[in-house]
Amino acid sequence: MSLSPASQLVIRNIDQLEQGDWLVINADDAGLFPALQTFSLTALHQYYDVFCQASGHSGAAQFDSRDICDKPQAINMVAEQGNHKHIFAPAVTQASATDVLIFMPKAKAHLNMLMAMAAHLVGNTGRVHVIGENKGGIKSAGKAMQQFGAVHKLDSARHCSWVTCDIENAPGQFSLHDWTAVDTYSLKEHEWQVCSLPGVFSHRELDEGTALLLTKLPATLTGTLLDFACGSGVIASYLHSVGARTQTELLDVSALALWSSAHTLSLNNSQGTIIAADTLHGVNHRFQTIVTNPPFHTGVKIDYRISRDFIAGVKQRLTSNGKLYLVANRFLPYPELLTEQFKQPATLAQNTRFSVYFAQN
């Protein structure tokens, strides 16, 4: 399998890793690490799929939402693979790193948060590097970096750039709570609170598709419920706040989303099980209801894999007569995919951009 363009640029500059203690954040390609096996390094993965691929870990991981709120390191999985230490967590606040290499995230606010964390970790005289594709916004990375020190471009190739900041103004501390937004969402005169971090889907706003889905969810839901690709926990927290009596599990691939969801539940005097998983892999029990606004992007690229895998496996994760509620952009081929799995999927609502689909076992 060929490496991503950004990973190829790392290999092109592999001599950079010969000196210093390196922390790699959100590598977009697990295949990069075998190529770096001669170097001792630590990798922070905020995304569970790449963590599993890189570390050899398999299955899903479960957390109690109350533990995540009470213990800062509750989401913190560590796996050793040769010379590499792989961490799945929303953040790292302590590390003996001289250099941090960040793979450019999709959201600028996410990069700002990662830069603050990385600059704190390496301290003054350390270095923070950002690498990414030109079409992914790497050309604007310098603006997020320059507040911490002098910025220069190390290399450009494969339609990517590697930008380095020599840290001179390192923050004295870093906490996820300093980057947490708490907003009041409203829908049909009902209000509830949502906690979200940069990098989480629909950060600080109620997504239009999710809002349409919520209008079609019965407030009388009971039993076991899965909020798949939960993001900041908007759907589950809304249902609890309008009186649904469900035993709720919230699943996402993002550690930032899982952290946000746990705090969103707490803000609304609720609780649930938080699951880290790549689609439904490792989830072996069944639910009476599954609700989702599934992603169809990987970074800036359209990617149907997550939704295709989810729809292909969701029938086996529903109880007899179990119900699925799914919202998606109208242009996506989900009606056909649902028809392959369910007898008579229905469209509950539709506007110019989104459709809400319903299916039952």
Side-chain angles (χ1 to χ4, degrees):
M1 181 182 295
S2 61
L3 293 175
S4 69
S7 291
Q8 291 179 44
L9 187 57
V10 174
I11 301 302
R12 174 181 159 104
N13 293 277
I14 199 168
D15 58 315
Q16 291 289 321
L17 280 73
E18 293 176 354
Q19 294 184 341
D21 297 316
W22 285 74
L23 169 67
V24 177
I25 297 179
N26 290 341
D28 63 359
D29 190 340
L32 170 66
F33 294 101
L36 304 180
Q37 194 56 58
T38 57
F39 302 101
S40 288
L41 58 83
T42 300
L44 169 64
H45 303 276
Q46 293 179 323
Y47 301 98
Y48 193 69
D49 53 345
V50 182
F51 167 75
C52 290
Q53 294 161 18
S55 67
H57 184 84
S58 61
Q62 292 192 4
F63 310 88
D64 188 300
S65 65
R66 295 165 296 185
D67 288 342
I68 295 172
C69 294
D70 294 341
K71 304 169 187 174
Q73 299 298 319
I75 304 176
N76 187 52
M77 301 177 64
V78 180
E80 304 280 349
Q81 187 80 314
N83 287 326
H84 301 163
K85 178 181 179 181
H86 294 278
I87 302 171
F88 174 70
V92 170
T93 54
Q94 292 182 330
S96 57
T98 62
D99 290 81
V100 176
L101 175 60
I102 300 170
F103 279 69
M104 182 76 184
K106 181 179 178 181
K108 291 181 180 179
H110 190 186
L111 176 61
N112 291 337
M113 181 177 73
L114 293 177
M115 275 299 307
M117 179 178 70
H120 165 67
L121 289 172
V122 301
N124 292 330
T125 72
R127 298 188 302 171
V128 177
H129 316 263
V130 180
I131 193 167
E133 296 187 46
N134 296 337
K135 62 184 179 182
I138 187 63
K139 293 181 180 180
S140 66
K143 294 180 181 178
M145 305 170 76
Q146 62 188 9
Q147 62 178 303
F148 299 105
V151 178
H152 59 93
K153 184 183 291 186
L154 178 73
D155 192 17
S156 292
R158 315 290 195 274
H159 304 289
C160 296
S161 293
W162 177 322
V163 185
T164 294
C165 180
D166 299 311
I167 302 300
E168 302 164 0
N169 305 304
Q173 60 184 11
F174 176 85
S175 170
L176 284 176
H177 291 284
D178 294 334
W179 293 86
T180 301
V182 176
D183 296 286
T184 299
Y185 287 12
S186 61
L187 184 70
K188 291 187 175 180
E189 300 181 354
H190 177 75
E191 294 186 343
W192 75 109
Q193 289 186 298
V194 175
C195 165
S196 64
L197 287 168
V200 176
F201 171 69
S202 198
H203 176 51
R204 305 212 66 180
E205 64 179 4
L206 177 57
D207 168 71
E208 181 185 348
T210 301
L212 184 64
L213 172 63
L214 294 181
T215 64
K216 295 301 172 182
L217 295 179
T220 54
L221 285 173
T222 59
T224 54
L225 179 140
L226 174 66
D227 183 350
F228 176 82
C230 60
S232 53
V234 173
I235 296 173
S237 59
Y238 169 82
L239 285 170
H240 287 182
S241 69
V242 296
R245 297 178 178 274
T246 58
Q247 297 82 55
T248 303
E249 301 187 17
L250 299 88
L251 181 153
D252 207 285
V253 74
S254 162
L256 297 173
L258 301 178
W259 193 93
S260 297
S261 288
H263 286 80
T264 294
L265 290 177
S266 179
L267 282 173
N268 293 281
N269 300 311
S270 188
Q271 64 190 63
T273 300
I274 305 295
I275 304 174
D278 178 15
T279 63
L280 291 168
H281 299 310
V283 179
N284 299 315
H285 48 292
R286 293 174 180 260
F287 302 88
Q288 289 167 272
T289 307
I290 297 179
V291 292
T292 183
N293 181 356
F296 63 96
H297 286 97
T298 298
V300 297
K301 302 173 183 175
I302 291 179
D303 181 0
Y304 302 134
R305 182 192 66 86
I306 294 173
S307 294
R308 285 183 183 276
D309 285 359
F310 167 76
I311 292 173
V314 69
K315 186 177 178 68
Q316 287 69 46
R317 300 278 68 83
L318 285 169
T319 60
S320 177
N321 298 317
K323 300 176 176 66
L324 168 67
Y325 297 87
L326 182 153
V327 66
N329 289 71
R330 287 183 61 173
F331 72 85
L332 296 170
Y334 293 172
E336 294 83 355
L337 296 175
L338 288 167
T339 300
E340 291 175 4
Q341 302 296 327
F342 296 93
K343 288 184 179 179
Q344 291 181 316
T347 301
L348 299 183
Q350 199 168 63
N351 61 24
T352 57
R353 294 185 60 203
F354 298 97
S355 294
V356 176
Y357 302 108
F358 171 80
Q360 187 168 4
N361 249 357

